């Protein structure tokens, strides 16, 4: 992982986890591109910052949600493009079973800032 990719991904992950901890849809959606595609924990495709905000506003209001990223991999795919893959463990403080997913992001430099342009979550359990 390049130093720039590592720094960008670490910064976004920290902001993402802070926003998730309070289920702050505005803070979370601000991390995404206006052209974002977002596949989260349901089959619907959400588009743009408004779609991302709709997704997070639609989640149950857990009292103490926590997301922990592990196995983070990042690659600078171009001067303005970073690819990221990780595992995320969601601890929902016993309000539902913990959830572990694979996550990938494509991060693009947009108007001088780094934003997630593609977000895809999928199950860790084998499908085949």
């Amino acid at each position: 992982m390049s130093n720039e990719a590592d720094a960008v991904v670490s910064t976004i992950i920290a902001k993402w986890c802070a926003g998730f901890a309070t289920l702050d849809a505005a803070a979370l959606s601000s991390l995404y591109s206006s052209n974002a595609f977002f596949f989260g924990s349901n089959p619907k495709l959400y588009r743009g910052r408004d779609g991302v905000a709709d997704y997070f506003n639609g989640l149950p209001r857990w009292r103490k949600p926590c997301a922990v990223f592990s196995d983070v991999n990042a690659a600078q795919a171009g001067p303005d493009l970073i690819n990221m893959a990780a595992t995320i463990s969601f601890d929902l403080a016993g309000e539902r079973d913990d959830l572990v997913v694979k996550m990938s992001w494509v991060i693009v430099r947009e108007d001088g800032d780094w934003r997630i342009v593609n977000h895809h979550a999928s199950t860790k359990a084998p499908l085949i």
Side-chain angles (χ1 to χ4, degrees):
M1 174 159 47
S2 78
N3 289 338
E4 182 179 25
D6 184 32
V8 168
V9 167
S10 293
T11 298
I12 293 174
I13 287 173
K15 290 177 182 179
W16 199 95
C17 288
F20 186 77
T22 59
L23 295 173
D24 185 341
L28 287 160
S29 65
S30 75
L31 301 173
Y32 290 80
S33 166
S34 58
N35 298 306
F37 281 3
F38 183 105
F39 273 121
S41 58
N42 66 46
K44 181 178 177 181
L45 172 64
Y46 295 86
R47 297 181 70 151
R49 286 189 196 110
D50 289 342
V52 172
D54 287 347
Y55 172 82
F56 285 109
N57 280 324
L59 290 178
R61 298 290 99 186
W62 299 298
R63 289 183 310 257
K64 195 174 173 186
C66 177
V68 176
F69 284 67
S70 61
D71 303 320
V72 177
N73 292 277
Q76 190 96 33
D80 297 322
L81 194 65
I82 296 171
N83 226 355
M84 188 283 293
T87 299
I88 305 179
S89 300
F90 293 95
D91 178 350
L92 303 170
E95 291 183 68
R96 67 151 283 155
D97 291 341
D98 290 353
L99 180 64
V100 179
V101 300
K102 299 180 293 184
M103 180 72 68
S104 62
W105 288 340
V106 177
I107 302 166
V108 64
R109 193 182 333 245
E110 181 177 85
D111 299 326
D113 210 356
W114 290 99
R115 304 215 185 273
I116 303 163
V117 71
N118 190 294
H119 169 120
H120 190 266
S122 60
T123 179
K124 283 267 304 181
L127 298 176
I128 297 176

